[in-house]
Amino acid sequence: MPTELSDAAPWAAAAAILGLLLLSAFLSGSESALTAASRSKLKAQADRGSSGAVRALALTEDGARMIGALRLGALVANIGAVALAVALVSGKFGGAGAALAAVGMAAAVLVLAEVLPRTWAITDAERTAIRVAPIIQPVVFALAPVVAAVQAVVRGLLALFGLRADPEAQVMALRDEIAGAIALGHSGGAVEKEGRDRLLGVLDLANRTVEEVMRHRSRVEMVDADADPGAILTQCLASPHTRLPIYRGDVENIVGIIHAKDLLREVDRLMRGAEGPPGALADLDILKIAMPPYFVPETTALDEQMRQFLKRNAHFALVVDEYGALRGLITLEDILEEI
């Protein structure tokens, strides 16, 4: 029986070495696939109901933890494979054999557990990431405490040199990645110059404020709520704008917004309705048909203002400063023109 066990030991060691190399190759390939996969493509797959894409997105949310766990697992597997190979060969061939075994295993690890699986994984990164994510997720979870300890040590070492991780770096990197893809598409002929400019303009909205594109108050046409109804009607018909702010007493006192169509409907009701004698226009109450004013701070980012316009189904807002003083107005068309 001892002889049978000793005869089987080399084969068991060889099988263990092969298994460790395969494990290292799987972890290395998974790391490359998950880091190379496009998050936008994974998001599209997740929206279509792919559970693997959902898991892949969850893994890439904390890329440092994922990479740390996978590299730790691959490192342990590689060290174990090399140690077994050296022990197996040194028992029969001595120190010279152990040295040759170490060199041979280093080459095997480089080719079979690093270059080959990584090259294969990035040829179709998204599909590979979706397939391996359900297996990798529990591995990352199991190694999370060890990885967290290593990350704490690394952060401490970086702090000694005055280096700190930027929490906004990933967001900015994503924005730069999108901008780079747009520019690359333009240089390759897939995106026209006008399309490139519009897409880059959308990305730039977060860095621009309402104050930069608003129409200054000196250029804003307003309606006096106390003016003669006939004069109000004439002014609105002569104006190139369909929406006009209404003030009472002082131009700072904005009490409403009048839309030309609402005004014409009210005039039509007064003049041609059942109770509409020829002098009925004098009964026009401009505030009765005015919309409530919508005020926004001048420091609002353009992308946020566009979202608010769409959320409120509005196209027109009055811009005020920190003290509530009127600075101007901005419309949805102004933002679209800026893009």
Side-chain angles (χ1 to χ4, degrees):
M1 182 66 67
T3 303
E4 293 178 359
L5 289 176
S6 60
D7 291 340
W11 294 103
I17 292 170
L18 179 60
L20 289 172
L21 286 176
L22 290 175
L23 175 61
S24 176
F26 175 74
L27 295 176
S28 297
S30 300
E31 177 198 337
S32 294
L34 288 165
T35 53
S38 168
R39 286 180 56 81
S40 59
K41 292 181 180 180
L42 291 177
K43 182 65 169 60
Q45 292 287 339
D47 292 340
R48 296 191 188 103
S50 171
S51 59
V54 173
R55 291 173 180 265
L57 280 173
L59 286 169
T60 55
E61 284 292 334
D62 190 348
R65 186 179 70 167
M66 176 196 70
I67 293 173
L70 295 181
R71 290 191 177 179
L72 175 63
L75 178 64
V76 171
N78 291 336
I79 292 174
V82 172
L84 280 175
V86 170
L88 179 63
V89 174
S90 62
K92 292 187 175 182
F93 302 101
L100 290 175
V103 173
M105 285 301 300
V109 168
L110 177 64
V111 175
L112 300 179
E114 290 291 331
V115 178
L116 179 63
R118 291 181 186 277
T119 304
W120 172 76
I122 62 176
T123 56
D124 193 353
E126 287 76 24
R127 181 180 298 179
T128 305
I130 290 173
R131 289 178 176 176
V132 302
I135 304 173
I136 294 300
Q137 197 171 40
V139 174
V140 173
F141 179 79
L143 295 177
V146 181
V147 174
V150 173
Q151 287 178 331
V153 174
V154 170
R155 284 194 294 268
L157 293 175
L158 290 176
L160 293 177
F161 297 96
L163 301 175
R164 297 186 182 276
D166 184 3
E168 300 294 330
Q170 185 174 2
V171 176
M172 295 303 297
L174 180 59
R175 182 190 181 282
D176 292 341
E177 180 182 350
I178 296 172
I182 294 171
L184 185 62
H186 171 65
S187 63
V191 180
E192 297 294 335
K193 180 181 182 303
E194 293 77 6
R196 179 202 65 180
D197 293 341
R198 283 193 293 269
L199 292 172
L200 292 177
V202 171
L203 288 178
D204 196 42
L205 287 183
N207 301 322
R208 307 287 301 279
T209 62
V210 165
E211 181 184 17
E212 297 179 54
V213 300
M214 71 178 184
R215 187 172 307 163
H216 192 267
R217 57 178 292 177
S218 61
R219 297 169 48 214
V220 177
E221 184 179 359
M222 301 185 188
V223 174
D224 185 354
D226 297 324
D228 180 74
I232 293 177
L233 179 60
T234 300
Q235 180 183 357
C236 291
L237 292 176
S239 174
H241 309 295
T242 57
R243 301 173 183 85
L244 294 175
I246 305 172
Y247 71 93
R248 168 161 280 169
D250 190 294
V251 292
E252 292 285 347
N253 183 30
I254 305 297
V255 293
I257 304 295
I258 184 63
H259 194 291
K261 284 189 176 181
D262 295 333
L263 176 62
L264 292 178
R265 290 191 189 98
E266 181 66 9
V267 170
D268 180 73
R269 185 186 69 82
L270 292 172
M271 300 299 293
R272 298 199 299 180
E275 71 283 4
L281 185 60
D283 297 330
L284 175 65
D285 184 357
I286 191 70
L287 295 180
K288 177 182 176 182
I289 55 174
M291 298 177 290
Y294 169 36
F295 298 99
V296 299
E298 61 183 349
T299 55
T300 306
L302 289 181
D303 61 341
E304 174 62 24
Q305 187 55 51
M306 176 175 279
R307 283 193 293 269
Q308 290 300 319
F309 274 145
L310 296 176
K311 181 180 179 180
R312 299 169 64 101
N313 194 24
H315 302 265
F316 186 101
L318 296 163
V319 183
V320 295
D321 63 14
E322 58 183 323
Y323 303 106
L326 181 67
R327 291 292 311 280
L329 66 82
I330 186 169
T331 66
L332 180 60
E333 290 77 10
D334 294 330
I335 301 179
L336 295 178
E337 288 176 5
E338 189 66 19
I339 294 175

